[in-house]
Amino acid sequence: FFVPRYLLPHIGRTIQDIAVMTATELIHLSYDGNFQLETDAKVIICKVIQSNQDEPLPSDDVNDTTTLRVELQLDRTSMHPQGGGQPTDLGVIKSNIENDGAYTANIDKVTIDRASGIATHSGSVALSSSSDNNVAANELFPPNSSVKVTVDSANRQLLSECHTAGHVVDAAMARCDKLLPPTKGYHFLDGPYVEYKGSIDIKDREEFLSRLKEAYQQLINEDIHTQIQTLPVDEAEELCNRLAQNFNMKDFTSPSEEEGNPAVRVVTVAGWNCPCGGTHVKSTGVLKERGWGVKGLRCKKGVVRVRYGPSEKE
């Protein structure tokens, strides 16, 4: 659930600002943008990726198609790059050309460079005719051309639920009066968990786990709305560390703005404030349908790990 420093702050930048700074505007960082699954963007650069230039690109003999691997950098994107404990968004990028020259890239990975803030969209483009096999990158998605970025809504919904569910663990821990400093959030679907620095006495663990599960479900049933705001670092410090010194705000500011007016994106889930760069659902009540809950507790070498997830039927 930690926001990588390179994600903040991107909100409110104009295209001219982005061109100078070369960073990608991340639409999802604002509250409204968090739920925005489409956006229009301009292409900065498109690269065709080929593992061995001496070998032809793979083709499908049945359909007479060729698949090109591409990397796209845009001025802005509605896709969440992998990072901060959350997996990459999936989706498509389609050129805004109303003729046979339009191409669609199926995006399976979005990453972001820590130093520059540039997001790279990696995916594949299927070419239907043999005459297209030697198409150049600037013919697929020319620089400064317009494209539409569309996020896979079902995948985004599931990842947002998983991330929000992890923050509910924080709120449940606080409700159980266990204010341990969080150290790691793993919000992947193959076994999500949240880790804290500290320990729970072995004789108390079973009873604490029972209370934690109950508190977690209470928070879901209360249907508490999610808030997302970008604040000056001093305000974020006061808000996020009001109960305990859990966060060092220098870890959540953009390196390029440390000497200016740094800002921190703060997400409030179930009343619990946390610096975060991920995507979230509108309220804790959304987690009821899939039956999200606390699954287990492990304490080892000064680390408390709380496992969580949807009901087994999912």
Side-chain angles (χ1 to χ4, degrees):
F1 52 86
F2 289 113
V3 54
R5 297 175 64 175
Y6 53 86
L7 289 183
L8 295 172
H10 290 269
I11 300 172
R13 289 176 175 168
T14 64
I15 291 176
Q16 290 78 10
D17 292 334
I18 296 167
V20 172
M21 301 179 69
T22 70
T24 308
E25 181 186 1
L26 302 178
I27 301 299
H28 79 274
L29 291 180
S30 70
Y31 179 83
D32 290 337
N34 179 82
F35 306 104
Q36 182 178 328
L37 299 179
E38 286 189 343
T39 191
D40 292 317
K42 296 287 187 182
V43 175
I44 302 300
I45 190 170
C46 174
K47 298 178 183 178
V48 174
I49 306 301
Q50 187 176 355
S51 59
N52 188 335
Q53 294 183 356
D54 297 327
E55 296 180 4
L57 292 164
S59 64
D60 186 333
D61 295 332
V62 176
N63 298 317
D64 191 27
T65 61
T66 297
T67 299
L68 303 180
R69 289 293 300 177
V70 298
E71 290 184 349
L72 278 159
Q73 294 171 2
L74 312 175
D75 66 339
R76 64 205 308 255
T77 184
S78 50
M79 293 189 186
H80 175 273
Q82 183 159 311
Q86 181 174 328
T88 178
D89 268 338
L90 307 177
V92 297
I93 297 176
K94 185 175 182 179
S95 54
N96 288 332
I97 302 175
E98 298 298 330
N99 56 40
D100 293 338
Y103 293 99
T104 298
N106 293 299
I107 304 301
D108 51 46
K109 186 70 173 287
V110 185
T111 57
I112 192 162
D113 178 74
R114 292 174 179 270
S116 66
I118 297 175
T120 299
H121 306 73
S122 302
S124 59
V125 177
L127 305 178
S128 59
S129 66
S130 58
S131 61
D132 283 330
N133 287 356
N134 295 318
V135 66
N138 61 2
E139 295 178 61
L140 287 171
F141 298 97
N144 207 41
S145 63
S146 297
V147 294
K148 183 172 289 294
V149 183
T150 303
V151 179
D152 182 316
S153 59
N155 183 69
R156 163 68 75 84
Q157 177 67 25
L158 191 53
L159 295 181
S160 295
E161 286 184 25
C162 188
H163 202 147
T164 298
H167 282 234
V168 176
V169 173
D170 294 334
M173 290 282 284
R175 182 164 286 194
C176 292
D177 297 320
K178 194 57 94 171
L179 295 174
L180 301 178
T183 57
K184 182 180 180 181
Y186 181 79
H187 308 300
F188 285 65
L189 301 173
D190 60 348
Y193 60 83
V194 184
E195 288 185 343
Y196 305 89
K197 181 180 180 180
S199 63
I200 299 173
D201 196 287
I202 190 169
K203 70 178 187 300
D204 299 327
R205 290 175 192 172
E206 184 175 351
E207 185 269 340
F208 177 76
L209 179 59
S210 177
R211 288 197 296 120
L212 186 64
K213 289 181 176 181
E214 182 179 358
Y216 193 98
Q217 293 307 315
Q218 288 174 351
L219 291 166
I220 289 179
N221 291 332
E222 290 168 17
D223 193 24
I224 305 168
H225 285 270
T226 300
Q227 300 177 37
I228 297 174
Q229 52 190 327
T230 301
L231 301 172
V233 66
D234 55 340
E235 292 183 27
E237 173 85 37
E238 181 179 359
L239 189 63
C240 296
N241 290 327
R242 72 184 192 282
L243 297 179
Q245 192 67 32
N246 287 332
F247 306 104
N248 181 351
M249 290 302 134
K250 289 185 178 180
D251 294 335
F252 305 102
T253 56
S254 170
S256 63
E257 300 200 9
E258 285 180 351
E259 295 181 0
N261 184 27
V264 177
R265 181 181 187 254
V266 176
V267 175
T268 305
V269 170
W272 181 256
N273 305 301
C274 176
C276 177
T279 62
H280 292 272
V281 296
K282 290 187 175 181
S283 71
T284 58
V286 175
L287 304 178
K288 186 180 296 186
E289 182 176 352
R290 294 188 213 265
W292 289 89
V294 172
K295 299 297 183 181
L297 180 71
R298 187 184 77 173
C299 302
K300 187 176 181 181
K301 296 181 179 179
V303 175
V304 176
R305 173 180 290 188
V306 179
R307 294 185 296 106
Y308 70 95
S311 65
E312 295 301 324
K313 66 181 179 180
E314 291 294 328

